[in-house]
Amino acid sequence: MSQTNRPSAIQRVAIFIDGANFQKATYDGLGFQVDFRGLLRVLAEGGSLVRAYYYTGEFDTDAVEHYINLHDTDDPDLMRRDMRTRLQKDRGFHRWLNRNGYKVVTKGVRVFKDADGEVSIKANVDIELAVDMLTIAERVDRVVLVSGDGDFVPLVERVASKGVRVVVVSTQNRRAQANGYRASDLLIDAADEYISIEKIRNAIERNDRISDEELRDLAGQTLSGSIEEKKADRGFGFIRTDDGKKIFFHLNDLQAPLRFEDIEEEDDILFELREDRDERQPYGRARDVRLRDVVEDVAEVPV
């Protein structure tokens, strides 16, 4: 039976995000960070989400060492520590995606010097994305490809030939072009529908600050999140809530007997919000921070 003759009134949707390409379009090109829960809602709107994939590169030990060697730095240990911190943050983000509706597919990066002598990082996930899309094409009615890479034109044409509607999400915005990004004309032309990122920006842009109204409503409630950043030498850090909000905490905000040295980045924690806001600190501040080693009822921070 062809895809168009399926009796279901609700379209089945699969989403495929080319992570590096999407980051270049949004963060590098248009200058904003993405609310990935909001992105799922927007892209699956009106349909039934079957699967959402996020494809990205990941450093391994050999790639880290090769990256350091190519930079010929005077302090390789410092660069190695910086790289490890970056890897921890990337893996924390990937874990968050896996827990919030995505299937993360990673591939080892390749590090090399380009023709201009600059150190470049490349992770070609095209094959993995193509295999997954062709595999699931028989079971969905609509495929959303979040990428501007013209290499996907044959894939889009092949999937469309199976009766699946293909939507491409990317940008050809002038600001993005000025910052070195532009979606392929051939890819956009091959798709059944094109959605420009700037048109959905208001619905997918991440706002990581707690508003005064949210602070009043949530003060005193038990919230959940994870340690996003820990400034070990300064005695403070930041929490990322389950809904993407950023919260400041100081070592004095830890609930006894928890000590500052007992917590690490990516640790799952529970906490409350202080009702007062420090004018010098744009983010809300936590109190009674403790490791999430027991089951408690928690309130979610609204998006």
Side-chain angles (χ1 to χ4, degrees), residues 30-270:
L30 296 173
F32 75 93
Q33 293 183 313
V34 175
D35 170 7
F36 280 89
R37 281 182 172 173
L39 181 67
L40 276 191
R41 287 194 295 269
V42 170
L43 299 185
E45 186 176 8
S48 174
L49 180 62
V50 175
R51 186 64 61 89
Y53 296 89
Y54 183 93
Y55 299 85
T56 186
E58 188 171 78
F59 275 86
D60 57 21
T61 302
D62 290 340
V64 168
E65 293 304 318
H66 191 41
Y67 182 85
I68 294 171
N69 291 335
L70 287 178
H71 276 86
D72 195 25
T73 177
D74 293 332
D75 193 345
D77 288 336
L78 176 61
M79 180 173 282
R80 190 173 290 110
R81 287 195 298 270
D82 289 343
M83 291 290 293
R84 286 173 179 169
T85 299
R86 172 182 170 182
L87 290 176
Q88 285 180 342
K89 290 182 178 180
D90 287 346
R91 288 168 181 166
F93 172 60
H94 299 160
R95 184 177 67 174
W96 185 92
L97 288 176
N98 272 319
R99 294 179 178 183
N100 288 273
Y102 294 86
K103 176 178 174 58
V104 177
V105 180
T106 61
K107 188 173 183 179
V109 301
R110 183 169 64 92
V111 183
F112 60 96
K113 280 193 175 181
D114 60 24
D116 298 323
E118 297 293 328
V119 178
S120 296
I121 302 168
K122 178 77 172 176
N124 193 340
V125 295
D126 294 8
I127 293 177
E128 287 77 8
L129 190 153
V131 169
D132 289 339
M133 188 181 291
L134 288 169
T135 300
I136 208 170
E138 301 292 341
R139 299 189 292 276
V140 297
D141 307 293
R142 175 164 38 112
V143 159
V144 181
L145 173 62
V146 184
S147 179
D149 191 343
D151 289 345
F152 288 124
V153 170
L155 173 64
V156 167
E157 293 175 340
R158 176 63 176 167
V159 171
S161 73
K162 296 177 175 292
V164 178
R165 184 170 182 81
V166 181
V167 180
V168 164
V169 180
S170 193
T171 185
Q172 294 186 328
N173 182 272
R174 289 183 179 179
R175 178 182 176 184
Q177 291 184 50
N179 290 320
Y181 183 90
R182 187 178 190 277
S184 163
D185 285 318
L186 294 176
L187 181 65
I188 293 173
D189 292 342
D192 297 298
E193 181 182 350
Y194 168 62
I195 299 175
S196 62
I197 292 172
E198 57 271 21
K199 287 186 178 180
I200 60 174
R201 175 171 177 169
N202 289 341
I204 68 170
E205 184 170 6
R206 191 174 82 185
N207 178 11
D208 61 3
R209 297 184 181 182
I210 297 280
S211 69
D212 290 340
E213 182 179 358
E214 290 171 335
L215 195 60
R216 288 192 299 269
D217 290 342
L218 293 166
Q221 296 188 47
T222 300
L223 308 174
S224 62
S226 60
I227 303 298
E228 180 180 60
E229 186 176 2
K230 175 187 174 183
K231 301 287 189 181
D233 57 335
R234 301 178 68 183
F236 71 86
F238 293 95
I239 296 165
R240 179 69 63 182
T241 72
D242 288 346
D243 280 340
K245 300 297 185 180
K246 190 172 183 178
I247 308 294
F248 172 84
F249 76 96
H250 187 268
L251 61 87
N252 293 330
D253 298 317
L254 302 182
Q255 187 182 83
L258 185 64
R259 300 171 302 172
F260 196 66
E261 55 266 32
D262 294 332
I263 61 173
E264 300 292 342
E265 292 180 356
E266 300 186 32
D267 280 348
D268 293 326
I269 51 94
L270 299 174

